[in-house]
Amino acid sequence: MKVWQDGQGGNTPVTAAELNRIEAALAAGPDRVCDGFDRGVGTRRIVSSMAKALTGVGVSEHLVVGDSMSSFYNGTTFDFANSWHRKLKARLIARGYPDGGTGLVATNEAGGGRDPRWAFTGTADITSNVYVALGTAVSTATFTSDTAGTIIDLVYSNAGGSFSVKVDGAAAVPVVATGALTIGTYTVTGLANTTHTIVVTATSGSAIICAAQVRNAAGVRFSSLGKFGLSAAGFLGDGGFVKSIVTAAMPNPDVLHLAIGANDLIGGQTAAATVTRVQTIRNLWPNADVILYAQPITENNELSDAAYVVYTDGLRALAETLVCPLVDWNLRYGGAASITGMGFVGADGVHPNALGQLDMGNAAYEGLMLAALA
């Protein structure tokens, strides 16, 4: 296990005194390197899928499970384009990895935000976390991709009403919901390798639309279906049907990025119970490799440095057990006061801003590449 902790990626430097304090804390801490990770024991699928993606012969499919720090909320509004995992993907593409597509983009985000690639007309219930219910016939949901691809997927609930799908202005194709409490996917292949527009029109009842993507058969692809306020306990309890949607739509990702747990602690859950839940989430995708993330805490997010270290120590022990990488954002920034002093925190004093997300993406990139080249 390796913990990525040092380097500021060219961003705002901290003072010499603060660097000395952080280095002293690191020197006093436990050993943070596990030889098993160096041998690639917990990173074989990362290595193989990233190699296939780089050479254009396969895809490296990444799933992000997180909360508002991954969706992401910047303290004032949702700023999806600047989320850390999209910055991570951008660095991979700049390195030469082909773009595998948009990844699954949820139709909705709890807290009133939604990805700007989605637009709605008519009666659309947007209060139901990560999905949208098109309340009446002729209500529409439109997804416009910003990434080229030859395949489209539309994820929906069979418990809702039926609808039609029109791709790039072609004739509408009816999709009949079965009425079962299951998640369905409507897929179109063989499209021109360009951006695409998907228009969904409710035809009966209340069509429940969960997500869409435009993808290619090769490259790196990131999907994030985390949401504002999500906790590990809430995910496992299937709040907003997030777990049902994501496990059905992404049954076999190559790499699982787990950046969750802070909201459990803020809500009064113990560090030990939260770590156990994180491991339970990891086990939902037993064939995937996993990267764990210790989220950065700030001065106003209701957790003390001392209390949070108990949790991050638990995450570190879990990473040792799983023989997987741990990207410790909190250790990178040296705690609540340090990240705030770096100018990485948004207007609400809780959530990282775009600059903070950029640096989080840099750290994630460095950690992923350490694993991919292990």
Side-chain angles (χ1 to χ4, degrees), residues 294-309:
Q295 297 160 274
I297 63 168
T298 59
E299 291 183 279
N300 294 336
N301 78 343
E302 305 174 38
L303 290 174
S304 69
D305 285 335
Y308 197 60
V309 165

Side-chain angles (χ1 to χ4, degrees), residues 115-343:
D115 192 292
R117 288 171 288 186
W118 279 104
F120 308 98
T121 66
T123 305
D125 176 4
I126 60 171
T127 63
S128 303
N129 296 320
V130 298
Y131 62 84
V132 163
L134 300 179
T136 60
V138 308
S139 294
T140 67
T142 300
F143 178 74
T144 303
S145 73
D146 57 350
T147 301
T150 61
I151 307 163
I152 67 104
D153 297 309
L154 179 73
V155 181
Y156 63 94
S157 171
N158 274 307
S162 297
F163 53 92
S164 66
V165 181
K166 184 183 294 187
V167 179
D168 299 331
V173 176
V175 177
V176 178
T178 65
L181 291 174
T182 58
I183 302 299
T185 300
Y186 172 78
T187 299
V188 179
T189 62
L191 298 170
N193 189 17
T194 185
T195 57
H196 299 284
T197 300
I198 306 167
V199 179
V200 181
T201 303
T203 55
S204 68
S206 180
I208 298 175
I209 310 302
C210 305
Q213 70 173 335
V214 171
R215 60 184 170 94
N216 285 303
V220 289
R221 186 162 58 243
F222 284 76
S223 298
S224 176
L225 292 179
K227 70 181 186 69
F228 189 93
L230 188 66
S231 64
F235 180 88
L236 291 171
D238 210 16
F241 303 106
V242 179
K243 182 167 83 65
S244 291
I245 293 169
V246 72
T247 52
M250 293 198 67
N252 192 30
D254 297 297
V255 187
L256 177 63
H257 301 258
L258 286 182
I260 197 168
N263 284 326
D264 296 78
L265 302 175
I266 293 171
Q269 299 294 317
T270 66
T274 302
V275 170
T276 297
R277 293 187 182 101
V278 170
Q279 183 169 11
T280 301
I281 295 173
R282 185 271 173 277
N283 292 340
L284 293 173
W285 292 275
N287 295 322
D289 283 346
V290 63
I291 299 177
L292 301 178
Y293 295 83
Q295 297 160 274
I297 63 168
T298 59
E299 291 183 279
N300 294 336
N301 78 343
E302 305 174 38
L303 290 174
S304 69
D305 285 335
Y308 197 60
V309 165
V310 175
Y311 173 62
T312 58
D313 283 349
L315 276 184
R316 186 166 292 110
L318 177 59
E320 296 279 2
T321 298
L322 298 176
V323 198
C324 74
L326 167 65
V327 176
D328 194 333
W329 285 319
N330 196 57
L331 184 59
R332 180 178 175 90
Y333 304 128
S338 298
I339 186 174
T340 301
M342 291 173 185

Side-chain angles (χ1 to χ4, degrees), residues 68 73-76 228 298-301 345-353:
S68 55
Y73 186 73
N74 65 12
T76 303
F228 189 93
T298 59
E299 291 183 279
N300 294 336
N301 78 343
V345 180
D348 65 350
V350 175
H351 295 86
N353 56 22

